[in-house]
Amino acid sequence: MAYPTVSAPYGFKPINRVDGMPYAGATRSYAIDNAADIFYGDLVILVQGLIQPFTGTDAGFPLGVFTGCSYTNSMSQTVHSQYYPAGAANGVAVVVVDDQAAYQVAVTSDGTAIDDTTTIASIGANIEVALGTGGSTTNGNSSMSVAAGTEVVTSTVPLRIIDVVPATETSTGFPELVVKINVTQFQRATGVV
């Protein structure tokens, strides 16, 4: 039986909650800062009330994961899309903000090449984000992933590894992990998440 292979990073895919309950699609809508493209599966931050792509790798805490949007195109039509093109008017993002959401994500060695050397021993460690090349304007998917070999116990690192993905295990390790966002007390206290 052939197992599925992971050929490229695809961003952060919500799969369930860390307590094992099914993910029910809990999201919140936010206005978008129109300065940059944002792709399905991108980590995002909230800056002065507007959504922007997360650009940190080893510090800072994302608000959540971008899962689509609406915006007004050049013909004044409302478009619903997996990806937000920079400069589009009236952008509204749909963001997973559940601090108990678990995400499936690819592991890369350089932000683009899949790395399958992560082991079960990494569960419980924090891991850095690999930003990738932006995303695909064809299918709207992110190119974010996590960076192989960056597992640490430092609590300022944005993501925590909570499991591996057995379905794509290779003879050398796991090319996909299950992670959660390390949410700050500030985010909880202010009601942002």
Side-chain angles (χ1 to χ4, degrees):
M1 178 174 164
Y3 289 96
T5 58
V6 183
S7 58
Y10 50 81
F12 293 81
K13 176 183 169 188
I15 56 168
N16 61 8
R17 290 174 42 94
V18 297
D19 59 9
M21 296 295 291
Y23 172 68
T27 59
R28 189 173 295 273
S29 296
Y30 296 95
I32 299 174
D33 178 335
N34 68 358
D37 292 343
I38 309 175
F39 297 90
Y40 181 90
D42 274 356
L43 294 171
V44 292
I45 58 173
L46 189 64
V47 177
Q48 297 180 347
L50 301 174
I51 289 297
Q52 297 177 0
F54 179 73
T55 58
T57 55
D58 63 352
F61 295 99
L63 170 68
V65 173
F66 179 89
T67 59
C69 66
S70 64
Y71 61 87
T72 304
N73 68 12
S74 60
M75 297 185 305
S76 298
Q77 299 166 319
T78 299
V79 175
H80 298 277
S81 176
Q82 276 201 173
Y83 116 90
Y84 173 79
N90 306 316
V92 176
V94 178
V95 180
V96 176
V97 293
D98 183 351
D99 66 344
Q100 293 299 304
Y103 304 94
Q104 185 171 315
V105 63
V107 182
T108 59
S109 56
D110 62 0
T112 56
I114 298 298
D115 184 292
D116 63 356
T117 60
T118 304
T119 67
I120 287 177
S122 294
I123 296 173
N126 294 320
I127 193 162
E128 295 179 12
V129 176
L131 298 176
T133 58
S136 168
T137 57
T138 303
N139 65 21
N141 290 334
S142 173
S143 65
M144 285 186 178
S145 59
V146 292
T150 63
E151 298 91 340
V152 294
V153 295
T154 309
S155 62
T156 57
V157 174
L159 303 169
R160 163 100 17 104
I161 300 169
I162 59 173
D163 206 350
V164 294
V165 179
T168 55
E169 180 182 12
T170 69
S171 60
T172 56
F174 297 91
E176 292 179 298
L177 299 174
V178 178
V179 300
K180 73 175 280 306
I181 296 172
N182 284 331
V183 179
T184 67
Q185 291 300 320
F186 171 78
Q187 288 172 314
R188 283 193 186 102
T190 57
V192 171
V193 292

